[in-house]
Amino acid sequence: MKLSIITINYNNAAGLKKTLDSVAMQTSIDFEHIIVDGASTDDSVDIIREYEQSLVSNHSPLSSHLKWISEKDTGIYNAMNKGIRIAIGEYTLMLNSGDYLVDEDVIEKILPLLDGTDIIQGNTIEEYSYQTIRNCGYGISNISFFDVMDGHFLHQASFIRLDSIQRYGYYDESYKKSADSYFYITALALGNASFKYINVDVANCEWNLKYARF
């Protein structure tokens, strides 16, 4: 399996449906989809079950590549780590509820570009209440120590080798809002992880809804 798409969710049924619909419409199904729900009390679990049944009813090969759990967690990074620990793909992509793939062939375009580099980063389309922008992150492959320390981490467009996560460490759950940034700094600035930028739009992100869980 080349890719594991991991979706975490908590009480965001509408956003989750948007995410799942974008995954189900992909022209390539050479990936697994892992959904980690934090014991939501809204309609999220019903949405997941409907998604699973729809894949089966439509004879989608993705139905055999779907894994999901719904149980309490201790926060967003605990949920992310749960998904990573059951992933079997060479690469992982965090596409959380409310985020959605930009078009139906984005995974088909991305898969040939997953060439063994530790972290491969594309672009996000970020939707704010007042504007929509394309965020290219670093926008270059040859990044420096100072670039890494300056940020520009786009986890919704970052394809990270699973063995790199295992090598440099899972998300540090003691951080409430910045464990992904800490991982990037550990891997890229302090470690010896390789990095490549690809000019491909990967995911739409509604940033006015982010961090509602904290």
Side-chain angles (χ1 to χ4, degrees):
M1 187 69 64
K2 191 72 172 178
L3 176 65
S4 297
I5 298 177
I6 301 171
T7 298
I8 68 166
N9 174 76
Y10 180 67
N11 284 345
N12 184 20
L16 178 62
K17 187 176 189 309
K18 185 183 298 186
T19 304
L20 302 187
D21 286 346
S22 78
V23 173
M25 69 186 291
Q26 291 303 300
T27 54
S28 172
I29 50 82
D30 188 18
F31 62 88
E32 66 172 353
H33 193 192
I34 299 169
I35 307 168
V36 181
D37 178 73
S40 294
T41 57
D42 64 357
D43 294 332
S44 293
V45 173
D46 290 336
I47 294 294
I48 297 170
R49 289 190 174 122
E50 289 170 8
Y51 173 64
E52 182 178 41
Q53 185 56 49
S54 174
L55 294 177
V56 172
S57 299
N58 292 322
H59 306 289
S60 169
L62 185 56
S63 63
S64 62
H65 300 167
L66 175 66
K67 305 171 185 174
W68 68 275
I69 57 174
S70 181
E71 61 186 26
K72 289 185 177 181
D73 56 56
T74 59
I76 185 170
Y77 295 114
N78 179 242
M80 287 182 176
N81 284 337
K82 285 183 180 182
I84 293 168
R85 287 190 172 99
I86 61 176
I88 62 171
E90 181 182 350
Y91 281 85
T92 63
L93 171 68
M94 289 292 174
L95 188 74
N96 297 336
S97 63
D99 302 329
Y100 58 98
L101 298 169
V102 295
D103 54 44
E104 65 184 12
D105 63 350
V106 62
I107 297 301
E108 184 176 358
K109 289 185 289 190
I110 289 290
L111 287 175
L113 304 178
L114 303 181
D115 60 0
T117 303
D118 291 314
I119 300 174
I120 299 173
Q121 189 176 92
N123 309 323
T124 57
I125 307 300
E126 300 183 357
E127 301 174 14
Y128 297 87
S129 58
Y130 51 90
Q131 67 176 342
T132 298
I133 65 171
R134 172 177 286 105
N135 189 340
C136 299
Y138 297 110
I140 58 173
S141 296
N142 187 25
I143 57 175
S144 69
F145 174 88
F146 298 102
D147 290 326
V148 176
M149 297 304 292
D150 199 34
H152 306 298
F153 311 120
L154 307 175
H155 76 245
Q156 303 92 342
S158 292
F159 299 84
I160 306 176
R161 283 182 60 94
L162 181 59
D163 60 6
S164 297
I165 298 174
Q166 295 165 340
R167 182 165 67 252
Y168 294 107
Y170 291 83
Y171 292 115
D172 187 334
E173 297 173 23
S174 66
Y175 291 90
K176 296 301 181 183
K177 294 186 179 181
S178 58
D180 47 352
S181 297
Y182 180 77
F183 169 81
Y184 279 92
I185 291 170
T186 301
L188 293 171
L190 304 178
N192 195 34
S194 54
F195 177 86
K196 182 175 74 171
Y197 166 72
I198 53 174
N199 188 18
V200 178
D201 296 339
V202 178
N204 287 66
C205 313
E206 297 179 342
W207 278 97
N208 52 310
L209 299 178
K210 292 298 173 185
Y211 302 123
R213 190 170 177 184
F214 295 111

